[in-house]
Amino acid sequence: MPDRGPGADPDPGPGPVAPKRRILADLTPLRTSADYRRLWFGNTVSWVGQAMTALAVSLQVYDITGSSFSVGLVGLCSLVPLVVFGLYGGAIADTVDRRKLGLYSAAGLCALSVVLAAAAFADFHRVWFLYGVVALQATCGALNSPARTAMIPRLLPPEQLPAANALNSLTTTSGTTVGPMLGGLIVGLWGYQAAYAIDAVTFTAALYAMWRLPSMLPEDDGGAAADGGKRRRASVADGLRFLATRPNLRMTFFTDLCAMVLAHPRALFPAIAVVWYGGDAKTAGLLAAAPAVGALLGGVFSGWFGRVHHHGVAIVLSVAGWGTAVAVFGLTRDLWLGVVFLALAGAADTISMVFRNTMLQAATPDAMRGRLQGVFIVVVAGGPRLGDFLAGTVGDLASPRVAIVGGGAACVLAVGLLVLRWRSFLRYDARDPQA
């Protein structure tokens, strides 16, 4: 038994004490469920490959065009498929076998990485081709994510879901930490074709995990009985109507959009790596990885999150912290100081993401979870891509410094205005969740 330390109760029991004393992430879901363990490992490996590909595409577009605006268009090309198929992907995940949907969409992503690698090996360097592949990747990703997320409550008991969500955040941040660094290094050493080929290989882990899962048809919410015994297709409109009646849930999306649209400098990294720091692809990879390093550390040392009850306050402060750190990064010209502020921004983003996810789970019934997850994907994945386009445009029309500093300041101002409009968000208490 671990020593509880002086002053502890004689026999407090594991339930109430563990959340208070825990510092590092809880690995219980990985130990108790082989299906979840395979799914988590496969997703983690594939995230690394996808992050490599995302950076490689941005670098390749910049090499071809020399334009930050063109790099920003990469995000815009994936935005429309994410919006359309993110919403409908959530509805589909509430209707069909989620295992098959996840397996087929992951196979599509793997095939697209093969196509990118083949084109690079053939010296076929066309911006329109890269834009088209990115759009198809966004389509497959928007179908895959709601299905994969909706599977988790079927693989684990309810008491392990918070730990599983924390592990999933570590998957994302560890993948986006290692991926850009490896992507910049591999592109610099062996070219784009190597990065794309490695991405295709990493998808085998995700495909294997999906293949081993049991069938996962959505649980009947009563709609089948009302429709003569046939399963009724879930409606996107029903999910949006539900969200329209939940102001606190809407605020979780609005605050994230402030950060990801207004203060997202990723599209400028290839340019500022050269112009500000005199670097190359490896420097751009370092800048892209810095926020993920901070996010990873924020997730690893997240034990104190369980003691926070006013989640609205935590979200507002963390989003404002993101905007402030990005703005200060735009004022620096020392590479390592800039990396530190980008890492601080990433840590703030993890805090925001954890509490936004917690609010979404606590206030959303199971029958709506796929559709609300689809909205979540549109905001979380689509927002940064719109931010890429905005940052690239302002960077070309004005300067990277104006785009980054102005975007960070605009993020802080926008969050303040939202709080003035919906003050009840600051009163949200996790002990009595009100959507």
Side-chain angles (χ1 to χ4, degrees), residues 35-75:
D35 284 333
Y36 176 77
R37 183 167 60 248
R38 284 190 293 267
L39 188 63
W40 182 86
F41 177 77
N43 291 337
T44 301
V45 173
S46 64
W47 261 101
V48 173
Q50 282 286 274
M52 288 173 50
T53 289
L55 180 69
V57 168
S58 295
L59 292 172
Q60 190 173 7
V61 169
Y62 188 73
D63 277 352
I64 295 171
T65 66
S67 167
S68 293
F69 175 78
S70 297
V71 176
L73 282 177
V74 174

Side-chain angles (χ1 to χ4, degrees), residues 19-417:
K20 294 181 180 179
R21 293 180 56 82
R22 189 177 300 280
I23 296 175
L24 302 179
D26 184 1
L27 303 181
T28 302
L30 297 177
R31 293 194 295 266
T32 59
S33 172
D35 284 333
Y36 176 77
R37 183 167 60 248
R38 284 190 293 267
L39 188 63
W40 182 86
F41 177 77
N43 291 337
T44 301
V45 173
S46 64
W47 261 101
V48 173
Q50 282 286 274
M52 288 173 50
T53 289
L55 180 69
V57 168
S58 295
L59 292 172
Q60 190 173 7
V61 169
Y62 188 73
D63 277 352
I64 295 171
T65 66
S67 167
S68 293
F69 175 78
S70 297
V71 176
L73 282 177
V74 174
L76 189 63
C77 286
S78 60
L79 177 62
V80 174
L82 277 170
V83 171
V84 174
F85 290 97
L87 292 174
Y88 281 96
I92 294 170
D94 283 343
T95 305
V96 304
D97 186 343
R98 290 163 177 165
R99 171 189 172 271
K100 289 184 178 179
L101 180 60
L103 181 62
Y104 296 156
S105 54
L109 286 167
C110 180
L112 290 169
S113 295
V114 172
V115 168
L116 283 172
F121 277 114
D123 289 328
F124 184 75
H125 304 296
R126 300 292 187 276
V127 173
W128 62 265
F129 171 77
L130 295 174
Y131 288 162
V133 172
V134 165
L136 292 174
Q137 286 177 324
T139 300
C140 292
L143 294 172
N144 182 268
S145 186
R148 188 180 66 246
T149 303
M151 291 176 187
I152 295 174
R154 303 279 291 274
L155 300 177
L156 298 169
E159 64 270 15
Q160 293 185 17
L161 292 180
N165 289 324
L167 289 170
N168 292 339
S169 73
L170 289 175
T171 292
T172 304
T173 53
S174 62
T176 52
T177 300
V178 177
M181 289 190 292
L182 285 179
L185 179 63
I186 291 170
V187 169
L189 292 176
W190 300 302
Y192 302 110
Q193 60 269 29
Y196 298 142
I198 291 172
D199 180 25
V201 172
T202 63
F203 265 108
T204 58
L207 291 171
Y208 176 74
M210 291 284 185
W211 180 264
R212 290 290 303 272
L213 290 174
S215 176
M216 288 195 184
L217 283 167
E219 294 179 354
D220 185 13
D221 64 354
D227 198 27
K230 296 181 180 180
R231 181 174 297 277
R232 185 176 61 192
R233 180 172 292 278
S235 168
V236 174
D238 286 344
L240 295 177
R241 280 192 290 267
F242 173 82
L243 184 59
T245 64
R246 302 299 192 272
N248 283 333
L249 289 183
R250 293 200 307 272
M251 272 290 284
T252 65
F253 296 131
F254 291 159
T255 52
D256 188 57
L257 286 172
C258 289
M260 295 297 101
V261 175
L262 300 176
H264 198 257
R266 179 178 60 187
L268 300 171
F269 288 161
I272 65 179
V274 176
V275 176
W276 288 6
Y277 305 119
D280 52 15
K282 293 185 285 294
T283 307
L286 178 63
L287 293 173
V293 171
L296 178 63
L297 293 176
V300 169
F301 297 101
S302 59
W304 60 274
F305 288 2
R307 299 192 292 272
V308 176
H309 302 297
H310 292 91
H311 292 179
V313 174
I315 291 169
V316 168
L317 292 178
S318 57
V319 172
W322 164 279
T324 301
V326 168
V328 176
F329 162 72
L331 296 173
T332 66
R333 289 299 180 272
D334 179 86
L335 175 60
W336 293 107
L337 185 60
V339 166
V340 167
F341 280 104
L342 287 175
L344 290 174
D349 185 51
T350 288
I351 297 171
S352 168
M353 179 180 63
V354 167
F355 290 119
R356 285 185 289 108
N357 279 334
T358 301
M359 289 179 66
L360 186 64
Q361 292 170 340
T364 305
D366 183 68
M368 288 284 180
R369 191 159 290 140
R371 279 161 282 184
L372 267 291
Q373 184 62 30
V375 178
F376 184 83
I377 291 168
V378 170
V379 172
V380 172
R385 286 159 176 81
L386 187 57
D388 287 341
F389 175 71
L390 179 63
T393 301
V394 176
D396 265 8
L397 294 178
S399 70
R401 180 175 182 176
V402 170
I404 295 172
V405 177
C411 170
V412 176
L413 176 61
V415 169
L417 293 175

